[in-house]
C-alpha cells in the first residue's frame, strides 16, 4: 500500500511540475524539472521507536521522555564520556529538542611496534601506558599471545601488532579460537586479544599447527561495562535510534585523508569480529539504527580511486551478513572553494555520491561544510553579495560567486538527483543532510584544542532551509560541545525559539483551476505565507484560503509539512526573483526568506 501511495503522489507531482521555481547554479535555465522518479524505501524505517514510558528513574535521576521543543534537526553526533550519567543527560537534552537519532564518534585501528619485551609503543617510540596493564603470566599480552601460538607450532610468530581502544565491552562471539584468543581483565580495563591472518581471511579452522606462519595481533583496550548496551537501553527509554561507530581505518602516512591499503585486511577482521558480537547480543534491538563508519572522505571526481571506498564496501558486506537490515551511515564532506585546486562543482559531488552508493552504504549524510567555511549558504541572486563575515577566514573578502562553485542547496539538489538515479539502479540509499552547528572560528571556542566557534539558531535555520526538499533527514555535527557551549547555548536558543517557521522550498503549483504556490517546511500550521515581489506583498493565511498536508507521501524529514495557497503568478514579471516567508500564529517569521522565480 505504501508503494501505491508513493507512486500516486509522484504522479500528481509530475502533472503539476510544468513550471517550477528555479534555484539553479551556473548558467541559468528557463525551467527546472522536479524529480519525478519513484523514491526508495527508507532505510531504516522513518518511524522512530516509541519511548517505553513517559518518564523513568535511575541512579542518575528522573528523566522525562516527552519532547519539549521539537526542532528540524533530529539527529546528533555525541562523543564518548566516562561518566554514565553524562549519557543520560545528553540523550535527555537531545530528545527535548526533537532528536531521535544518536551517532557515536569512534576510534581508529592503529598499527604499532613493540619493545624487545613485547610492550606496546606509541608512534613516538615511547611506552604506551594504555596497554601497559595488559599482562598474562608475568609477561606482556603480546608475548603471551606469541607463546600460545608457538605451542601449536614452534615457528609461529606475531608479525604485526595493532591496537584499538573503545569504551565498549564484548562477549564470547568476538573470539573464534579460544586457545589463543580471550579477554584479559586488568583493573578498570578489560583487554581483548585477537589473532588473525594478515590478509583478513580469518580462518575459522583455528589450526595453527600445520606449519609455522606469521599472524597479526589485535589488542583491544575495552571496558568492563559495555557503553553500547547502556546507549541502547537509553534509546529504548527515549524512543531513539543509536548508530555505534565501526573501527576507523589506519591512515595512509603520505596521504592521511586516505585509508592505508596495507592494513585493510586486519581492519576487515576486526570489523567482522565486532559485528559478530553485535549480531549475537544486540541485532534485535529496535534502538540499534545501524552502524557509523567515521572515516571521512571528500566528495570529488577522484573519489573512485580512494581506497577508503574499499573499507566501506568490505564493511557493508559484513554488516549484511551479521546485522541484516541495518545500514552503514557515512558522512563525507564537500569543498566548493574556487581558489582551491580540489574545490568541486555540484555535479562533481553528485558523481561522488554515486560512487559512494555503489559501495552499499545505506545512508550518506554529506556535511553541509558551512561550519568549516568550505561551502556557503546563499541563493542564486546573491552570488554578487559579499560573503558572511564569519567565512572570511576561509575565503577572504570575496563575493559568494567568486568564492564558491555553488551553495549547499545546489549540492544537495544535485545529490538528490544522483540518489534517484542510484535507486532506479537498485541501490537502497538515503540522503541525509549533516548541517554543521559551528563556525570556522570564533571568539569563544566550543571544544578544547578546537578553533571552531559557536554559531546561532538563525544561521542554523538558514542551513536547514538550504537542504530544501532534497533530503530524507537532517542531522548535525555535533551535540557536545557545539550545541551546549556559550551563553545562551544553541540548545537554549532552540528551546526558546523552536516554534519559529522554517520554509525550505516553494514551487508553483496549481490546484484544480487555481494557480498557487506550494511551500514546504516546519511549523507551518496556522501560518501565513507572504509573497513579496516588485508589485507588492500578498499575505495568505493557509487555514483561510489554502490547505495544509501534515503527512506528505514523499520521503521527507520528520516534522516537514506541505502548505498551499492560491497566488496568480502572471502578475509577477518573468524572471523576477520573489521572496517567500512564513509567519506563524505567534507572530514569529521565518528568518531566511526563500528566493524563487518563474521563467516562461
Amino acid at each position: 500500500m505504501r508503494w501505491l501511495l508513493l507512486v500516486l503522489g509522484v504522479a500528481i507531482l509530475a502533472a503539476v511540475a510544468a513550471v517550477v521555481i528555479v534555484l539553479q547554479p551556473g548558467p541559468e535555465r528557463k525551467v527546472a524539472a522536479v524529480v519525478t522518479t519513484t523514491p526508495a524505501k527508507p532505510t531504516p524505517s522513518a518511524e522512530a521507536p516509541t519511548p517505553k514510558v513517559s518518564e523513568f528513574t535511575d541512579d542518575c535521576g528522573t528523566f522525562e521522555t516527552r519532547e519539549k521543543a521539537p526542532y528540524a534537526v533530529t539527529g546528533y553526533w555525541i562523543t564518548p564520556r566516562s561518566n554514565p550519567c553524562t549519557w543520560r543527560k545528553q540523550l535527555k537534552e537531545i530528545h527535548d529538542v526533537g532528536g531521535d537519532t544518536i551517532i557515536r564518534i569512534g576510534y581508529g585501528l592503529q598499527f604499532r611496534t613493540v619493545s624487545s619485551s613485547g610492550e606496546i609503543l606509541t608512534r613516538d617510540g615511547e611506552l604506551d601506558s594504555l596497554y601497559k596493564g595488559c599482562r598474562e603470566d608475568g609477561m606482556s599480552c603480546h608475548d603471551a599471545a606469541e607463546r600460545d601460538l608457538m605451542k601449536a607450532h614452534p615457528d609461529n610468530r606475531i608479525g604485526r601488532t595493532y591496537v584499538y581502544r573503545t569504551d565498549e565491552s564484548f562477549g564470547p562471539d568476538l573470539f573464534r579460537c579460544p586457545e589463543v584468543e580471550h579477554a584479559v581483565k586488568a583493573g578498570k580495563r578489560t583487554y581483548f586479544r585477537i589473532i588473525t591472518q594478515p590478509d583478513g581471511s580469518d580462518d575459522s579452522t583455528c589450526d595453527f599447527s600445520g606449519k609455522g606462519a606469521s599472524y597479526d595481533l589485535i589488542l583491544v583496550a575495552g571496558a568492563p561495562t559495555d557503553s553500547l548496551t547502556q546507549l541502547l537501553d537509553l534509546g529504548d527509554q527515549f524512543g531513539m535510534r543509536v548508530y555505534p561507530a565501526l573501527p576507523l581505518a589506519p591512515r595512509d602516512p603520505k596521504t592521511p585523508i586516505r585509508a592505508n591499503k596495507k592494513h585493510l585486511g586486519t581492519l576487515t577482521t576486526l570489523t567482522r569480529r565486532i559485528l559478530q558480537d553485535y549480531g549475537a547480543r544486540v541485532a534485535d534491538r529496535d534502538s540499534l539504527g545501524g552502524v557509523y563508519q567515521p572515516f571521512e572522505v571528500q566528495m570529488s571526481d577522484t573519489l573512485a580511486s580512494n581506497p577508503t571506498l574499499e573499507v566501506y564496501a568490505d564493511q557493508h558486506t559484513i554488516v549484511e551478513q551479521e546485522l541484516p537490515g541495518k545500514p552503514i551511515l557515512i558522512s563525507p564532506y564537500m569543498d566548493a572553494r574556487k581558489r582551491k585546486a580540489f574545490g568541486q562543482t555540484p555535479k562533481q559531488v553528485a558523481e561522488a555520491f554515486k560512487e559512494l552508493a555503489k559501495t552499499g552504504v545505506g545512508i550518506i549524510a554529506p556535511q553541509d561544510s558551512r561550519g568549516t567555511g568550505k561551502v556557503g549558504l546563499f541563493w542564486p541572486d546573491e552570488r554578487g553579495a559579499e560573503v558572511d563575515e564569519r567565512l572570511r577566514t576561509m575565503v577572504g573578502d570575496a563575493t559568494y560567486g567568486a568564492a564558491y562553485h555553488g551553495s549547499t542547496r545546489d549540492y544537495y539538489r544535485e545529490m538528490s538527483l544522483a540518489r534517484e538515479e542510484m535507486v532506479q539502479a537498485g541501490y537502497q540509499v538515503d540522503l541525509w543532510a549533516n548541517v554543521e552547528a559551528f563556525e570556522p572560528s570564533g571568539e569563544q571556542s566550543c571544544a578544547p584544542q578546537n578553533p571552531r566557534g559557536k554559531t546561532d539558531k538563525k544561521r542554523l535555520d538558514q542551513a536547514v532551509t538550504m537542504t530544501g526538499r532534497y533530503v530524507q533527514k537532517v542531522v548535525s555535527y555535533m551535540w557536545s560541545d557545539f550545541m551546549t557551549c556559550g551563553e545562551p547555548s544553541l540548545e537554549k536558543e532552540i528551546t526558546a525559539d523552536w516554534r519559529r517557521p522554517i520554509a525550505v522550498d516553494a514551487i508553483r503549483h496549481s490546484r484544480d483551476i487555481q494557480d498557487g504556490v506550494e511551500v514546504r517546511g516546519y511549523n507551518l500550521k496556522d501560518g501565513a505565507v507572504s509573497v513579496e515581489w516588485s508589485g507588492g506583498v500578498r499575505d495568505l493565511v493557509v487555514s483561510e484560503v489554502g490547505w495544509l498536508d501534515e503527512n506528505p507521501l514523499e520521503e521527507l524529514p520528520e516534522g516537514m509539512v506541505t502548505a498551499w495557497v492560491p497566488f496568480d503568478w502572471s502578475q509577477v514579471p518573468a524572471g523576477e526573483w520573489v521572496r517567500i516567508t512564513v509567519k506563524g500564529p505567534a507572530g514569529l517569521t521565518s528568518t531566511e526568506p526563500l528566493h524563487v522565480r518563474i521563467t516562461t
Side-chain angles (χ1 to χ4, degrees):
M1 179 61 72
R2 176 174 168 80
W3 277 103
L4 179 60
L5 293 173
L6 285 171
V7 172
L8 177 60
V10 171
I12 293 172
L13 283 177
V16 300
V19 182
V20 299
I21 303 304
V22 178
L23 297 173
Q24 297 290 343
E28 299 176 359
R29 305 182 218 171
K30 289 186 177 180
V31 179
V34 174
V35 179
T36 58
T37 51
T38 304
K41 183 178 179 181
T43 308
S45 167
E47 296 183 2
T50 302
K52 281 186 176 180
V53 291
S54 61
E55 66 178 27
F56 69 95
T57 300
D58 60 17
D59 293 339
C60 299
T62 299
F63 296 87
E64 175 66 55
T65 61
R66 293 187 180 94
E67 294 179 348
K68 292 183 178 179
Y71 184 56
V73 179
T74 54
Y76 295 90
W77 272 258
I78 60 174
T79 55
R81 299 297 188 200
S82 58
N83 185 344
C85 289
T86 303
W87 291 125
R88 289 154 175 77
K89 181 177 182 293
Q90 287 181 334
L91 266 70
K92 166 67 166 57
E93 293 169 343
I94 291 170
H95 190 264
D96 281 351
V97 295
D100 60 20
T101 299
I102 295 295
I103 306 166
R104 274 291 309 271
I105 299 296
Y107 299 100
L109 176 69
Q110 298 180 17
F111 169 72
R112 292 290 186 84
T113 57
V114 297
S115 69
S116 59
S117 58
E119 302 286 355
I120 305 296
L121 301 179
T122 66
R123 290 170 177 164
D124 298 327
E126 303 293 331
L127 187 67
D128 193 328
S129 59
L130 180 61
Y131 301 92
K132 182 180 179 180
C134 189
R135 301 192 66 81
E136 303 178 69
D137 303 327
M139 61 181 70
S140 68
C141 284
H142 171 278
D143 284 359
E146 191 166 61
R147 175 202 62 190
D148 294 343
L149 282 171
M150 292 174 67
K151 287 179 181 178
H153 193 288
D155 292 333
N156 283 339
R157 293 289 185 274
I158 290 177
R160 300 186 299 183
T161 301
Y162 295 84
V163 297
Y164 177 68
R165 64 172 298 180
T166 179
D167 55 2
E168 296 181 37
S169 193
F170 305 100
D173 288 274
L174 183 74
F175 306 117
R176 279 199 173 180
C177 305
E179 62 269 32
V180 295
E181 298 181 329
H182 53 253
V184 179
K185 295 184 179 180
K188 296 182 179 180
R189 281 282 178 188
T190 298
Y191 298 91
F192 301 89
R193 196 180 88 180
I194 301 172
I195 303 295
T196 183
Q197 284 80 4
D199 63 0
S201 58
D202 206 15
D203 186 1
S204 61
T205 65
C206 296
D207 183 7
F208 300 97
S209 63
K211 62 178 181 178
S214 176
Y215 296 92
D216 286 349
L217 166 67
I218 306 174
L219 191 58
V220 178
T225 304
D226 182 34
S227 65
L228 176 57
T229 301
Q230 294 174 332
L231 277 177
L232 292 176
D233 289 345
L234 286 169
D236 289 337
Q237 293 286 2
F238 285 109
M240 305 173 80
R241 283 199 172 95
V242 177
Y243 289 76
L246 294 173
L248 193 73
R251 297 183 181 275
D252 187 319
K254 295 182 179 179
T255 313
I257 60 174
R258 299 163 68 95
N260 193 332
K261 290 179 67 71
K262 294 180 180 179
H263 306 299
L264 295 190
T266 307
L267 176 73
T268 297
T269 295
L270 179 61
T271 302
R272 184 187 302 113
R273 298 296 191 85
I274 290 175
L275 290 179
Q276 284 174 349
D277 175 72
Y278 285 2
R281 294 191 299 116
V282 300
D284 59 347
R285 299 287 297 268
D286 288 341
S287 51
L288 180 65
V291 290
Y292 166 56
Q293 172 44 250
F295 202 116
E296 299 176 2
V297 295
Q298 182 186 350
M299 302 184 78
S300 69
D301 56 2
T302 61
L303 188 58
S305 62
N306 191 323
T308 311
L309 269 62
E310 295 180 34
V311 175
Y312 299 159
D314 288 347
Q315 292 186 333
H316 165 67
T317 300
I318 300 170
V319 170
E320 277 196 324
Q321 294 169 347
E322 306 298 337
L323 297 175
K326 304 292 186 181
I328 290 181
L329 182 156
I330 61 173
S331 188
Y333 65 94
M334 303 181 287
D335 198 325
R337 291 174 292 176
K338 285 184 174 179
R339 295 177 183 176
K340 299 293 183 180
F342 43 78
Q344 302 288 294
T345 67
K347 290 192 178 298
Q348 288 174 314
V349 165
E351 289 302 313
F353 182 95
K354 296 177 188 177
E355 294 299 328
L356 292 171
K358 291 175 184 177
T359 68
V361 297
I363 301 169
I364 302 175
Q367 302 163 33
D368 74 349
S369 299
R370 166 56 182 81
T372 58
K374 295 182 176 71
V375 188
L377 304 173
F378 60 96
W379 299 95
D381 59 325
E382 294 179 325
R383 291 191 185 100
E386 294 292 320
V387 300
D388 186 329
E389 182 179 355
R390 294 170 290 188
L391 293 171
R392 291 174 187 171
T393 57
M394 297 299 294
V395 296
D397 293 329
T399 64
Y400 281 111
Y404 299 110
H405 289 291
S407 167
T408 57
R409 191 176 185 89
D410 303 323
Y411 288 88
Y412 282 117
R413 181 181 58 251
E414 290 294 336
M415 285 187 287
S416 74
L417 296 174
R419 173 189 177 253
E420 293 298 335
E421 182 179 328
M422 298 309 293
V423 167
Q424 293 301 315
Y427 294 91
Q428 294 297 310
V429 60
D430 279 358
L431 170 62
W432 292 6
N434 174 7
V435 295
E436 296 174 335
F438 55 86
E439 295 297 332
S441 61
E443 294 181 0
Q444 179 178 0
S445 176
C446 286
Q449 300 178 336
N450 190 326
R452 308 303 185 195
K454 177 187 177 299
T455 192
D456 53 68
K457 181 178 180 291
K458 180 179 179 181
R459 212 277 285 156
L460 204 59
D461 283 1
Q462 184 185 23
V464 172
T465 297
M466 291 297 177
T467 67
R469 65 175 71 198
Y470 306 121
V471 302
Q472 285 74 65
K473 189 178 182 69
V474 182
V475 295
S476 179
Y477 183 90
M478 56 183 297
W479 186 264
S480 53
D481 297 293
F482 295 122
M483 296 294 295
T484 56
C485 77
E487 188 57 45
S489 66
L490 258 180
E491 176 196 3
K492 290 180 180 178
E493 290 186 45
I494 289 172
T495 301
D497 194 50
W498 68 272
R499 292 180 177 84
R500 183 179 299 278
I502 303 176
V504 304
D505 193 63
I507 62 172
R508 183 177 187 175
H509 188 149
S510 60
R511 187 167 184 253
D512 297 327
I513 61 173
Q514 276 190 300
D515 199 1
V517 58
E518 178 185 279
V519 179
R520 284 190 175 164
Y522 304 88
N523 295 326
L524 304 187
K525 187 176 182 179
D526 299 324
V529 175
S530 177
V531 183
E532 180 181 357
W533 77 108
S534 61
V537 179
R538 288 288 306 277
D539 293 321
L540 305 158
V541 180
V542 177
S543 60
E544 295 178 0
V545 300
W547 55 261
L548 181 75
D549 183 358
E550 297 186 70
N551 297 289
L553 293 177
E554 297 88 345
E555 297 174 337
L556 299 174
E558 181 181 354
M560 187 179 289
V561 300
T562 300
W564 180 89
V565 290
F567 182 75
D568 181 8
W569 285 94
S570 66
Q571 61 190 312
V572 179
E576 179 177 320
W577 287 97
V578 175
R579 297 200 174 195
I580 296 176
T581 55
V582 177
K583 180 181 291 186
L588 298 173
T589 301
S590 52
T591 57
E592 178 64 24
L594 299 173
H595 295 217
V596 299
R597 69 173 178 175
I598 298 295
T599 57
T600 56

